[in-house]
Amino acid sequence: MSLIELRQVWKSYGDQVVLERVNASVEAGEFVTVVGASGCGKTTFLNMLLGTEAPSRGELLLDGQPLPAEPDSRRGIVFQRYSVFPHLTALQNVVVAREFQMSRLLARLVGRRRRQVRQESLELLSAVGLAQSADKYPHELSGGMQQRLALAQSLINKPRILLLDEPFGALDPGIRADMHQLVLSLWRQHQLTIFMVTHDLKEGFYLGTRLWVFDKVRQDPHAPQAYGARITYDLPAGRKAEPGPAVGISLDRGDSDKVPAKLLLQTE
Amino acid sequence: MTKLINRRPDRLQRLVLGALPFLLVAGLYLWGSEQRLQANPNDKLLPAPSKIIDTMERLAFEPSKRSGDYLLWTDTAASLQRLALGVSAGALIGLVFGIVNGAIPLAHANFSPMVTTVSLIPPMAILPVLFIIFGLGELAKVVLIVIGITPVLIRDLQQRVIEIPREQLIKAQTLGANTWQTIARVILPQIMPRLLDSVRLALGPAWLFLIAAEAIAATEGLGYRIFLVRRYLAMDTILPYVVWITLLAFSLDWILRAVSQRIWPWYHGKSRQQPVATS
């Protein structure tokens, strides 16, 4: 059984159709990168996986079960901004995630369990290169460091799926490259399934095992809102799916030979 | 020559420029007082500084002939107690309703129209109602302060809660937090420093309601004293009392700010270890 399955998913707001007839299945361990022009519904798609939005029609299944329409601990998220809590230090930002899970009433741990969780969190912080900054508040960290922290925070509870919403969009190119290596090593080490929305086609090809392009197949110039976007290309990207076996790729449409040139036009 | 918009005062210049208006007002007062006293030595409108000091010494350090109290201090204690009770109660109610209204859409739909309506009632207009219900004792005065500042605090804080980026609330849920945990660990700690900000702003109206209530029905208090001696044109008491109230208000504001900087360094852009400047 696939980890995620989308069956004829539609999303519309009133008259405006954002996504139409989206079909796909994703196995555990894949790294799916999602590209597409602005307003083509890629963030809407991510929000549906996250649970902040529900499909208008169709089914979105996780392990064969419909996804609940609110966020939960099976799906971690890193946003472009505002992903960490400004009132907690880096270490507390990671610790609090364990406290949510382990102390339902007070969300505070004491004694031995507290020391254990602190230790666990410190290890994860060092893994993302933030050991030196454990006692700093987010406003004292650079943009890249904040995103590292957000990754560590998302991973400590071991979610099934990690969702990344243009997580490196606001970072400098050099720092981006570092972050790419970090994400790839975390993906391998924690055997994650990742969905990442990005503007950057090169980034999408480089990081993913699979690249999805969202685009509108049908266009009505008099009613641009009448048709929604679909996954127009589903391409094997450079990387081998790592924890699991390589995945069979099925294209929605048969014209894959024209892809690169068209892709570049659509996503620039 | 440097343009005026680019010329910044150094420390000394700032001090001198800031003190200038105060010195000007003091000078004008002294000059006016002298003019009037020359014309009529019994003039009460602008008493000489020596007279004011005499009166204050009497009020602060000599027991009153009637009650044996040191009036300045009993007045101050009575007023501060009412203010503290009213403002604390208002802050607590504001915090609870602000968070509940801001964080829980169902509660917002339930309470928000009521809060908005109540906040539009001029509190002074219902002061007689309070006196009728609660009598002329302490409670009515405290309740006036509470009614005066609470709706504004609730509306302000619920807005602050709504302004917390949605990303953070979603993030907390993806980390496994339930509603209560999200409020306790994400919303409440971020709202506390904002509560203190709102309370600092609410202190102005709180003093207004306090003095108004004391002016109408009280047996001691700073506002009571001012309105009592007004009958005798006792500017030598009224003026220093006003200065004293201003000083108290300033100190309260300063203390609240210092507390906020010490407890919540992240809110003031400061780091955790670095000693926190309070100025």
Side-chain angles (χ1 to χ4, degrees):
Chain A
M1 188 169 44
S2 306
L3 180 68
I4 295 267
E5 213 169 324
L6 295 110
R7 289 193 196 142
Q8 298 286 9
V9 169
W10 290 67
K11 180 69 190 179
S12 52
Y13 303 96
D15 282 350
Q16 192 185 2
V17 182
V18 181
L19 295 172
E20 58 178 43
R21 284 178 53 206
V22 179
N23 284 300
S25 66
V26 175
E27 307 296 326
E30 290 198 63
F31 192 142
V32 180
T33 50
V34 179
V35 298
S38 302
C40 71
K42 33 186 211 303
T43 296
T44 304
F45 170 74
L46 203 76
N47 285 341
M48 289 198 292
L49 283 179
L50 181 59
T52 54
E53 297 194 47
S56 310
R57 270 188 271 163
E59 282 184 308
L60 183 49
L61 306 176
L62 170 64
D63 291 327
Q65 300 293 317
L67 268 176
E70 62 176 3
D72 62 30
S73 58
R74 286 179 296 176
R75 293 157 285 168
I77 175 96
V78 174
F79 294 104
Q80 187 169 5
R81 300 192 304 147
Y82 305 124
S83 259
V84 292
F85 302 124
H87 61 293
L88 300 175
T89 64
L91 180 61
Q92 288 167 343
N93 256 293
V94 182
V95 168
V96 77
R98 294 301 290 147
E99 289 180 320
F100 283 145
Q101 298 260 308
M102 295 167 69
S103 166
R104 294 310 283 174
L105 191 60
L106 296 174
R108 300 249 180 211
L109 294 173
V110 289
R112 193 177 53 81
R113 293 209 300 170
R114 181 186 148 84
R115 281 195 298 278
Q116 194 183 328
V117 163
R118 274 179 66 95
Q119 191 52 40
E120 231 175 281
S121 307
L122 268 173
E123 277 162 25
L124 196 53
L125 277 183
S126 342
V128 300
L130 286 179
Q132 304 301 313
S133 309
D135 284 327
K136 287 193 170 152
Y137 287 110
H139 71 81
E140 300 170 88
L141 303 176
S142 68
M145 288 159 91
Q146 287 188 25
Q147 292 305 74
R148 285 166 186 272
L149 177 57
L151 279 170
Q153 188 186 42
S154 298
L155 291 179
I156 191 147
N157 281 336
K158 307 194 183 351
R160 305 283 316 267
I161 306 166
L162 182 61
L163 306 169
L164 307 174
D165 190 1
E166 300 189 30
F168 316 132
L171 304 181
D172 293 336
I175 295 173
R176 243 181 215 230
D178 291 346
M179 295 297 289
H180 289 165
Q181 295 318 310
L182 176 66
V183 165
L184 287 174
S185 75
L186 291 171
W187 170 61
R188 285 190 197 109
Q189 201 185 332
H190 295 260
Q191 315 204 332
L192 295 165
T193 308
I194 297 183
F195 286 85
M196 173 167 147
V197 166
T198 174
H199 264 115
D200 185 344
L201 191 58
K202 254 167 72 184
E203 183 177 80
F205 270 114
Y206 174 69
L207 287 177
T209 57
R210 196 168 167 185
L211 178 99
W212 287 356
V213 182
F214 276 65
D215 196 14
K216 291 188 180 185
V217 181
R218 301 181 285 174
Q219 283 279 7
D220 182 345
H222 301 293
Q225 79 280 10
Y227 298 112
R230 298 164 61 181
I231 302 176
T232 50
Y233 297 101
D234 182 343
L235 306 169
R239 212 149 293 279
K240 283 265 187 307
E242 252 168 72
V247 188
I249 301 300
S250 63
L251 283 176
D252 236 12
R253 286 167 35 166
D255 47 0
S256 57
D257 43 343
K258 288 180 275 175
V259 165
K262 268 190 85 177
L263 270 186
L264 287 169
L265 286 175
Q266 283 162 344
T267 53
E268 275 314 299
Chain B
M1 204 173 116
T2 326
K3 286 191 263 316
L4 195 57
I5 51 169
N6 292 328
R7 289 178 62 184
R8 302 194 183 281
D10 60 30
R11 213 183 155 78
L12 181 69
Q13 282 173 320
R14 258 211 311 276
L15 204 71
V16 172
L17 289 172
L20 220 54
F22 289 99
L23 294 174
L24 195 69
V25 170
L28 271 177
Y29 180 89
L30 290 177
W31 177 76
S33 167
E34 183 137 341
Q35 293 288 310
R36 288 187 68 99
L37 287 171
Q38 260 173 9
N40 170 14
N42 291 324
D43 178 68
K44 294 190 126 183
L45 211 57
L46 300 180
S50 56
K51 178 100 195 296
I52 291 179
I53 292 169
D54 278 352
T55 308
M56 285 318 282
E57 265 177 1
R58 186 165 50 75
L59 288 170
F61 304 118
E62 288 171 26
S64 150
K65 289 195 185 81
R66 251 158 150 233
S67 59
D69 289 335
Y70 294 86
L71 289 179
L72 178 66
W73 307 119
T74 43
D75 286 343
T76 305
S79 288
L80 283 183
Q81 192 192 356
R82 289 165 191 150
L83 193 76
L85 281 173
V87 171
S88 321
L92 193 68
I93 301 171
L95 182 67
V96 171
F97 277 85
I99 287 184
V100 169
N101 278 7
I104 301 172
L106 286 175
H108 192 269
N110 196 197
F111 295 125
S112 189
M114 185 70 185
V115 171
T116 309
T117 308
V118 171
S119 74
L120 294 174
I121 301 174
M124 292 306 295
I126 53 168
L127 183 57
V129 179
L130 299 181
F131 281 141
I132 292 168
I133 297 177
F134 299 110
L136 298 179
E138 292 301 289
L139 192 57
K141 292 184 266 290
V142 172
V143 170
L144 178 69
I145 298 176
V146 174
I147 289 182
I149 65 170
T150 305
V152 181
L153 284 176
I154 295 179
R155 292 179 74 180
D156 193 30
L157 289 174
Q158 81 186 23
Q159 193 50 41
R160 299 283 95 77
V161 174
I162 291 168
E163 280 167 10
I164 292 179
R166 224 171 82 81
E167 283 90 341
Q168 286 187 26
L169 305 185
I170 294 171
K171 181 86 188 198
Q173 295 176 63
T174 65
L175 300 177
N178 56 32
T179 301
W180 162 246
Q181 290 176 318
T182 308
I183 289 176
R185 294 299 312 269
V186 180
I187 296 177
L188 179 66
Q190 293 197 61
I191 286 307
M192 285 307 291
R194 293 172 172 96
L195 170 70
L196 224 63
D197 278 354
S198 306
V199 165
R200 281 173 63 193
L201 286 176
L203 274 174
W207 277 104
L208 169 74
F209 297 126
L210 172 72
I211 288 170
E214 286 181 345
I216 294 171
T219 52
E220 77 279 287
L222 296 167
Y224 162 76
R225 192 69 52 201
I226 290 178
F227 275 80
L228 180 72
V229 300
R230 174 189 59 110
R231 300 170 202 170
Y232 317 116
L233 298 182
M235 293 291 269
D236 54 335
T237 304
I238 296 175
L239 291 180
Y241 258 62
V242 171
V243 171
W244 175 235
I245 291 172
T246 311
L247 204 67
L248 288 174
F250 177 84
S251 316
L252 280 179
D253 185 67
W254 189 88
I255 290 168
L256 288 180
R257 195 178 51 172
V259 165
S260 173
Q261 293 196 343
R262 183 151 295 274
I263 310 182
W264 302 295
W266 59 270
Y267 185 68
H268 302 273
K270 300 201 162 61
S271 64
R272 199 176 178 203
Q273 292 89 356
Q274 156 193 336
V276 180
T278 47
S279 62

